[in-house]
Amino acid sequence: MITALDHIAIAVPDLEKAIKRFMEDFGLTFEGTEDVASAKTSTAFFPLPPTSIELIHPLNGEGPVQAFLDKKGGGMHHLCFRSDDLDADIARLREKGYQFLSDEPSIGAHNCRVIFIHPKSCDGVLIELNQPSDDHH
Ligand code: CO
């Protein structure tokens, strides 16, 4: 079951500049950065309860976030819904015809299991589903 809006992700061309903006101009709390090698992405999280803002930037100038920046220059990238039973939600949505970007979940930021729903299954919006590992919360 989907239980929360875990985060909203924004792709940024200059991560340091964007971190400064969210800290100094918007006054949000900077939780730190985390590289997700499997997604070729650097992330920076700003908790804004009950959700978070995630800034994303390509690792080593490659990968899907780099392709997004090349095309759009930056902008809203995805929403993430938190699930309390990721496998059940994937199965339920597959049954309804939803397509996913991968066959299986992978490990994303914060050690969550994550998977992305193809944007063409949701009116052009990229949606991530995640499930925190039990030792995280
Ligand atoms: Co995300």
Side-chain angles (χ1 to χ4, degrees):
M1 191 172 75
I2 289 165
T3 58
L5 177 60
D6 189 83
H7 60 265
I8 295 169
I10 301 169
V12 299
D14 184 333
L15 187 58
E16 293 310 312
K17 188 177 165 190
I19 288 171
K20 274 187 82 142
R21 171 182 301 128
F22 278 78
M23 280 176 73
E24 295 175 9
D25 300 344
F26 297 157
L28 302 191
T29 302
F30 176 43
E31 190 186 74
T33 58
E34 181 180 348
D35 291 345
V36 182
S38 62
K40 295 185 165 61
T41 303
S42 290
T43 69
F45 276 91
F46 296 85
L48 189 57
T51 188
S52 288
I53 302 296
E54 175 188 35
L55 302 180
I56 57 175
H57 184 76
L59 261 184
N60 308 319
E62 57 179 26
V65 177
Q66 185 62 56
F68 180 91
L69 290 177
D70 290 344
K71 198 170 157 193
K72 304 195 176 182
M76 284 281 310
H77 188 268
H78 64 267
L79 306 181
C80 178
F81 290 146
R82 189 183 310 149
S83 167
D84 61 2
D85 188 343
L86 189 61
D87 295 316
D89 281 326
I90 292 168
R92 183 170 56 81
L93 292 170
R94 278 217 167 101
E95 184 121 326
K96 291 177 179 290
Y98 283 77
Q99 293 184 36
F100 289 80
L101 296 188
S102 60
D103 290 336
E104 297 290 334
S106 59
I107 300 300
H110 296 142
N111 210 28
C112 288
R113 293 175 70 226
V114 307
I115 195 166
F116 287 86
I117 299 172
H118 197 293
K120 76 183 177 193
S121 291
C122 196
D123 294 324
V125 178
L126 179 60
I127 294 183
E128 177 182 15
L129 300 176
N130 78 2
Q131 182 173 19
S133 58
D134 291 335
D135 59 351
H136 184 63
H137 284 287

